[in-house]
Amino acid sequence: MSVRVRFAPSPTGYLHVGGARTALFNWLFARHHGGQFILRIEDTDKQRNTAEAVQVIYDGLRWLGLDWDEGPQAEGDCGPYFQSERHAIYERYFERLRAGGWLYEDAGAWRFRFAREVVEVDDLICGKVATDFANVEITPDMTIRRPDGSWIFHFVNVVDDLEMHVSHVIRGEDHLSNTAKHIQLFKALGTEPPRYGHIPLILNKDGSKMSKRDQGASVTSYMEGGYAPEAVRNYFCLLGWSPKDDREILPLEEIIARFDLSGVNRKGAHFDLAKCDWFNAQYLQQMPMERYRELVQPWLTKAGITATPAQLDPVLALEKMKVTHLSEVPDRISFFFTEDYPYDPAVVEKTLRKPGALERLAQLADAYASLEVFDAATLEGRLKELATSLGVKPAEFIHPARVAVSGRGVGPSLYHMLEVLGQTRTLARLERTRERFAA
């Protein structure tokens, strides 16, 4: 089977989750069948379309890893790939329809004369759907060109699919009602229509249709919110498609191998941002450190944190299993890269102002100063030995030490944190904190 599919967004603002999911399903279908994925920009609405919005589409698709085989910035034999540059092509097909008696003028606009018959769509997802065009009042003839000469979506959409040899149209279920009209245009032009598959709408948790105002609706929000693209892509794959087993975390290669329209659900897909967050956390936890460092680097740069991979990786590893969004990382690890870290006043009052706390810091510093091996296991053993010898609980040392070296009351394992800091920096921080709060 020769597969050519397309994603045809309108650049009117941003890339919506629904649009991204449509692009993803088309891309997966093309990759599964060894076919071609085409990007086509439907930019005939001059008042709403902007170059910035086009760039948002490029950036969003590339961030998700959806490369296109034909389209803007990718060349191809069926261009141009902007509808605003295809006027001559539309004129040619318009004249074909007019010469065939399919068009008539109505108050300056041009209408397509429907064949008054039943048109059946054999949809690859929704099954057979019939539309009866017998009643003119219910299905009036379709405008394809406005009085000002501009084109209506239905006409240019069909012409582009025909010219670009699209074999399958995979799009949102909200377009299902348009399909019988499009099939009539294909037949009037003397050609077979592509196969259609209409994927379910994306719904909010309450069952309402997801709109551009809903949280998580914009792909840009994931790009700017600290998400890993592979995690978001995996989650989007499951918005309406199922691999038919209980697994959710799936490598892309396996998704491509298993993806088929027969696995697309008929019912609406419920979007859950908390579930997407879970996917993100799972991916970050399982991610190789090299990839994790690559993804977190922009956030570190923005925060002014600079370090070599050798310096950075041990620090990142301490918090990697707790991170949900990459945007959290700079705040979690910033104290490792400066000696001028702030102290949480509430934690200081609760911990360091406690009677005996500063003395515990001095005792711990003395115990750690004599160590020849400064790893987590040795540090834990030495602290517990010290606590036992003094008849106190280890927490009497753990809590003040954590605040002393980080300024915080929570964080990674104290012993692993001290190991990464090293003996010299640990002892200096214990001493500096004791002197600061002794006054």
Side-chain angles (χ1 to χ4, degrees):
M1 178 172 60
S2 177
V3 167
R4 286 176 61 83
V5 295
R6 48 74 168 177
F7 175 53
S10 297
T12 56
Y14 63 87
L15 183 59
H16 187 274
V17 164
R21 193 270 309 259
T22 297
L24 175 59
F25 279 21
N26 275 278
W27 184 87
L28 289 170
F29 189 75
R31 295 295 174 260
H32 176 82
H33 291 284
Q36 302 294 302
F37 174 61
I38 304 165
L39 176 62
R40 185 173 77 219
I41 305 297
E42 297 192 340
D43 63 338
T44 54
D45 189 340
K46 296 179 180 179
Q47 292 184 337
R48 298 178 62 202
N49 297 333
T50 66
E52 291 78 10
V54 173
Q55 190 61 48
V56 166
I57 293 170
Y58 296 160
D59 293 344
L61 293 180
R62 288 188 173 119
W63 185 77
L64 287 168
L66 308 184
D67 56 322
W68 51 98
D69 304 297
E70 295 181 25
Q73 303 180 354
E75 303 304 327
D77 298 329
C78 299
Y81 294 93
F82 285 86
Q83 284 187 339
S84 60
E85 301 173 5
R86 296 175 62 82
H87 181 75
I89 297 172
Y90 304 142
E91 286 283 4
R92 189 168 71 247
Y93 279 88
F94 175 82
E95 291 301 329
R96 280 178 57 179
L97 289 176
R98 188 162 64 172
W102 290 100
L103 304 182
Y104 63 91
E105 195 170 5
D106 178 21
W110 285 90
R111 289 181 176 272
F112 174 78
R113 185 178 285 108
F114 283 130
R116 296 300 165 182
E117 60 187 18
V118 175
V119 176
E120 185 176 81
V121 179
D122 188 9
D123 193 90
L124 293 166
I125 298 168
C126 301
K128 293 184 178 181
V129 180
T131 301
D132 189 351
F133 285 86
N135 191 320
V136 177
E137 292 184 1
I138 296 176
T139 54
D141 288 338
M142 176 174 59
T143 300
I144 68 167
R145 193 170 194 176
R146 301 179 184 92
D148 65 1
S150 60
W151 306 103
I152 297 295
F153 156 79
H154 302 290
F155 174 65
V156 294
N157 186 270
V158 165
V159 170
D160 288 345
D161 285 346
L162 192 161
E163 279 276 309
M164 295 179 185
H165 312 292
V166 170
S167 65
H168 296 75
V169 173
I170 303 168
R171 58 189 180 186
E173 190 179 23
D174 50 338
H175 284 291
L176 181 58
S177 61
N178 296 326
T179 305
K181 302 174 185 178
H182 295 179
I183 287 177
Q184 287 237 29
L185 280 169
F186 275 108
K187 289 185 176 180
L189 290 168
T191 187
E192 285 295 312
R195 295 299 308 275
Y196 287 90
H198 288 85
I199 56 183
L201 299 178
I202 297 179
L203 308 175
N204 292 310
K205 293 178 70 175
D206 63 3
S208 62
K209 181 181 176 181
M210 191 177 193
S211 74
K212 62 177 64 178
R213 293 176 296 277
D214 292 318
Q215 187 180 23
S218 168
V219 172
T220 303
S221 68
Y222 300 94
M223 298 169 66
E224 297 177 349
Y227 289 81
E230 45 265 68
V232 175
R233 183 178 59 216
N234 191 159
Y235 178 63
F236 284 4
C237 285
L238 301 180
L239 290 174
W241 174 77
S242 171
K244 305 301 183 184
D245 58 31
D246 294 332
R247 295 170 61 214
E248 294 181 304
I249 305 293
L250 296 167
L252 181 60
E253 295 75 14
E254 183 175 348
I255 294 174
I256 291 173
R258 300 176 67 174
F259 187 85
D260 193 73
L261 296 183
S262 63
V264 176
N265 304 321
R266 183 68 183 86
K267 296 181 179 180
H270 287 267
F271 179 86
D272 185 349
L273 188 59
K275 183 69 172 181
C276 188
D277 288 345
W278 178 83
F279 268 87
N280 203 53
Q282 294 297 309
Y283 264 85
L284 295 180
Q285 290 173 17
Q286 300 170 26
M287 189 174 288
M289 183 55 73
E290 184 177 3
R291 173 61 174 161
Y292 184 78
R293 185 192 334 118
E294 176 190 359
L295 289 178
V296 81
Q297 191 59 59
W299 301 96
L300 300 180
T301 300
K302 185 177 179 181
I305 296 174
T306 58
T308 66
Q311 296 168 326
L312 190 59
D313 287 359
V315 177
L316 293 177
L318 292 175
E319 292 280 13
K320 188 167 177 282
M321 300 301 291
K322 301 177 183 178
V323 172
T324 299
H325 303 105
L326 294 162
S327 52
E328 306 166 20
V329 174
D331 181 65
R332 285 179 175 272
I333 69 171
S334 59
F335 66 88
F336 281 96
F337 300 98
T338 178
E339 298 306 315
D340 188 25
Y341 49 89
Y343 292 81
D344 184 330
V347 174
V348 168
E349 195 63 33
K350 181 180 178 180
T351 306
L352 297 184
R353 299 298 187 192
K354 185 177 179 180
L358 297 181
E359 182 182 356
R360 300 294 184 222
L361 292 182
Q363 293 167 335
L364 186 62
D366 288 341
Y368 281 171
S370 61
L371 293 177
E372 295 184 2
V373 177
F374 206 77
D375 61 19
T378 303
L379 293 169
E380 181 178 9
R382 187 68 188 93
L383 185 148
K384 290 181 177 179
E385 288 176 5
L386 178 62
T388 299
S389 68
L390 296 174
V392 299
K393 295 180 179 180
E396 293 290 317
F397 291 96
I398 292 173
H399 296 315
R402 178 182 298 282
V403 179
V405 301
S406 70
R408 311 171 184 202
V410 295
S413 157
L414 174 68
Y415 309 112
H416 288 93
M417 182 166 62
L418 298 183
E419 178 182 342
V420 171
L421 280 169
Q423 188 171 31
T424 300
R425 295 177 74 197
T426 295
L427 296 177
R429 290 187 179 199
L430 292 174
E431 178 62 21
R432 187 168 60 249
T433 300
R434 192 177 66 81
E435 291 176 352
R436 174 173 176 171
F437 293 101

